[in-house]
Amino acid sequence: MAASAGATQTPADEVPVPQGEAHTLEPSLDSRAGRLSFCTKVCYGIGGVPNQVASSATAFYLQLFLLDVAQIPAAQVSLVLFGGKVSGAAADPVAGFLINRSRRTGSGRLMPWVLGCTPFIAVAYFFSWFLPPFTSLRGLWYMTFYCLFQALATFSQVPYTALTMLLTPSPRERDSATAYRITMEMAGTLMGAAVHGLIVSGAHSPHRCKDADLELPGPVTVSPGAACLYSVAAAAVAVTYPVCIGFLYLGVKERPDPSAAASSQGMSFLAGLGLTVRHPPYLKLVISFLFISAAIQVEQSYLVLFCTHASRLHDHIQSLVLTILVSAVLSTPLWEWVLQRFGKRMSAFGICVMVPFAILLAIVPTAPVAYIVALVSGVSIAVSLLLPWSMLPDVVDDFQLQHQHGPGMETIFYSSYVFFTKLSGAGALGISTLSLEFAGYEAGACKQTEQVVVTLKVLIGAVPTCMILTGLCILMVSPTPKVPRQDTSRRLSLRRRTSYSLA
């Protein structure tokens, strides 16, 4: 700490670092300040679990809940999903701006935002699944609380993900912490789908259609216990927020900034945002994962509907969802090894593994094929989640090397990235759900028309395939920022201690 305080008297770019000294000092930096303990990495990963638990439940079951339990028209469901994603996306730059302007407290500058949003997120999430007694304004009810949940989750997720850059100056340790976070988040995704799915499985039992005329499409009255089951599942997920964020607060501490005066010289948010979107590696990274992340969201959102209405896989829904998530969790450490061994560009090819199998499922919707597709999809989903968060710190470092007087801009990079990916997901889910309305989807019906079945097959096969291939093509032609060498990493570390306004 004394060394860093002294370093504030001299700009980082003027610090003389002889070549021999750089190689002798950097191992000491990595071994002391750079290395993260196992407990810190685990607690940091646990902090990302609640949002993934909630995201998993909403990704797989919210659309089904709104259509078949709340029995909202497909057009209104499209507005709810689109509005929620847009509100979350719009909150990203706002969160980045406010966090960048906030003052450091005893808990740091990022941690208070995570702590303050936690109770409100839990409440908003619960009411997003609560069935109100009235029917005429249910669409507005779910629009309000789902938008509120997405916005609050963003105000918690932006500082949490930006915390990666402030844990350590070592790129390898940041990648390791990211792998821990992704692994824990995948475990949270598994837990969310498993717990929520097991609780609400009785709400969509095939027995509810036995007394209905299956030859004619039409709505079926939902059992009175269905709404209660969804409320119980929502409460179980909401509890994870205070529990996991408590572990994050106790196990992870922000690195202090010894230079308070330098923070007042930081660049404004709008000026920083203008620089980030003009940075070629960042721009191409964002555009490529706009398509890839939207494809993954479409695949997740329509899997349950596809199994329910376009195939005879209703009894396998829970098992298929768990197969996808277990495969993703188990393959995440493998992809971390692949990233370190073969590089991040080569690892990107793992995303396209699911493409032929998704098409095969749409053509041959049988149980054996579905389980193979679920297994392979989990592998692809794991790398699609790990890769952008591993590449983003390298992009930030590349930006800092090219803009010598730039302050700490982690929240700007992270918030704008999440903003663009959420916006693409909002458009993809909104348009795809609206296509069900045009195809004639009838809420609560046991059997849908042939046009709806064909639409679901296109949404589960052709749409994700085209989006993934487009994103990969953009990613492959873009330049990959190089990981900073030891002397460069040390110089960036010194500059963070003197210039960053977020530490």
Side-chain angles (χ1 to χ4, degrees), residues 107-116 159 163 248-249 252-254:
S107 301
R109 181 169 296 185
L110 304 179
M111 193 69 72
W113 288 90
V114 179
L115 296 175
L163 192 61
L248 175 69
Y249 175 73
V252 178
K253 302 300 179 183
E254 289 186 40

Side-chain angles (χ1 to χ4, degrees), residues 2-258:
S4 62
T8 60
Q9 304 300 324
T10 305
D13 294 326
E14 300 177 5
V15 176
V17 184
Q19 184 175 1
E21 185 181 355
H23 290 285
T24 58
L25 291 178
E26 183 61 25
S28 177
L29 178 66
D30 284 341
S31 61
R32 291 180 297 165
R35 291 190 61 83
L36 299 174
S37 67
F38 173 77
C39 179
T40 297
K41 294 177 183 178
V42 171
C43 290
Y44 175 67
I46 291 176
V49 168
N51 273 337
Q52 296 305 314
V53 171
S55 297
S56 174
T58 55
F60 286 107
Y61 293 101
L62 181 61
Q63 192 175 43
L64 183 66
F65 167 76
L66 296 176
L67 289 171
D68 290 353
V69 177
Q71 296 192 353
I72 299 175
Q76 294 186 26
V77 174
S78 175
L79 291 177
V80 172
L81 297 178
F82 179 79
K85 292 292 184 179
V86 168
S87 65
D92 277 295
V94 176
F97 173 78
L98 294 178
I99 294 171
N100 201 44
R101 303 282 293 181
S102 61
R103 296 179 177 274
R104 181 179 176 86
T105 66
S107 301
R109 181 169 296 185
L110 304 179
M111 193 69 72
W113 288 90
V114 179
L115 296 175
C117 293
T118 297
F120 301 101
I121 299 174
V123 173
Y125 178 83
F126 175 80
F127 283 109
S128 296
W129 297 88
F130 181 78
L131 190 67
F134 48 84
T135 58
S136 58
L137 297 177
R138 281 183 181 176
L140 181 60
W141 170 279
Y142 292 112
M143 171 73 80
T144 301
F145 283 104
Y146 186 57
C147 290
L148 184 62
F149 164 73
Q150 288 288 347
L152 290 172
T154 297
F155 272 87
S156 174
Q157 188 71 8
V158 167
Y160 169 71
T161 52
L163 192 61
T164 306
M165 294 297 298
L166 302 180
L167 293 176
T168 172
S170 171
R172 181 176 293 272
E173 285 297 298
R174 288 203 307 260
D175 286 347
S176 178
T178 300
Y180 273 80
R181 175 171 71 86
I182 297 298
T183 302
M184 296 300 295
E185 287 180 348
M186 293 304 302
T189 302
L190 174 62
M191 182 176 67
V195 173
H196 188 99
L198 289 174
I199 294 176
V200 305
S201 58
H204 303 284
S205 173
H207 296 289
R208 72 187 184 96
C209 293
K210 284 187 175 180
D211 298 331
D213 186 3
L214 299 182
E215 299 299 325
L216 296 175
V220 176
T221 303
V222 180
S223 62
C228 180
L229 291 176
Y230 272 94
S231 296
V232 172
V237 173
V239 169
T240 63
Y241 275 95
V243 174
C244 294
I245 298 304
F247 278 100
L248 175 69
Y249 175 73
L250 295 176
V252 178
K253 302 300 179 183
E254 289 186 40
R255 295 176 42 174
D257 181 9

Side-chain angles (χ1 to χ4, degrees), residues 1 3 7 12 47 59 221 228 230 272 310 349-350 377 403 430 442 463 480 494:
M1 298 300 296
T221 303
C228 180
Y230 272 94
F349 287 103
S377 297
H403 298 79
E442 189 168 359
V463 172
T480 302
L494 291 173

Side-chain angles (χ1 to χ4, degrees), residues 323-336:
T323 300
I324 293 175
L325 299 177
V326 169
S327 174
V329 171
L330 296 180
S331 61
T332 299
L334 173 63
W335 283 117
E336 168 61 16

Side-chain angles (χ1 to χ4, degrees), residues 312-313 316 320 323 357 360-361 364-376:
R312 298 180 181 273
L313 300 173
H316 300 275
L320 289 173
T323 300
F357 294 94
L360 181 62
L361 178 62
V364 187
T366 61
V369 173
Y371 281 102
I372 295 175
V373 172
L375 183 66
V376 176

Side-chain angles (χ1 to χ4, degrees), residues 332-481:
T332 299
L334 173 63
W335 283 117
E336 168 61 16
W337 177 82
V338 173
L339 287 174
Q340 298 288 345
R341 179 66 177 82
F342 299 101
K344 298 172 183 179
R345 185 185 295 270
M346 292 297 297
S347 303
F349 287 103
I351 301 175
C352 66
V353 174
M354 66 180 290
V355 168
F357 294 94
I359 298 176
L360 181 62
L361 178 62
I363 299 175
V364 187
T366 61
V369 173
Y371 281 102
I372 295 175
V373 172
L375 183 66
V376 176
S377 297
V379 175
S380 296
I381 290 174
V383 67
S384 70
L385 294 176
L386 178 62
L387 190 59
W389 297 112
S390 295
M391 296 179 70
L392 198 54
D394 298 338
V395 172
V396 175
D397 281 343
D398 182 74
F399 176 87
Q400 291 292 341
L401 289 175
Q402 295 185 28
H403 298 79
Q404 300 298 325
H405 300 286
M409 299 176 66
E410 294 88 352
T411 53
I412 299 179
F413 273 98
Y414 280 79
S415 63
S416 58
Y417 170 78
V418 179
F419 166 77
F420 290 122
T421 53
K422 283 185 177 180
L423 200 61
S424 67
L429 291 178
I431 295 174
S432 57
T433 306
L434 198 60
S435 67
L436 291 179
E437 177 75 10
F438 294 145
Y441 186 93
E442 189 168 359
C446 284
K447 184 178 180 180
Q448 300 292 337
T449 62
E450 185 63 25
Q451 291 84 349
V452 173
V453 173
V454 172
T455 302
L456 288 173
K457 289 183 177 181
V458 172
L459 292 174
I460 205 73
V463 172
T465 296
C466 294
M467 299 176 75
I468 287 176
L469 294 179
T470 302
L472 285 177
C473 290
I474 298 174
L475 187 64
M476 289 301 104
V477 300
S478 62
T480 302

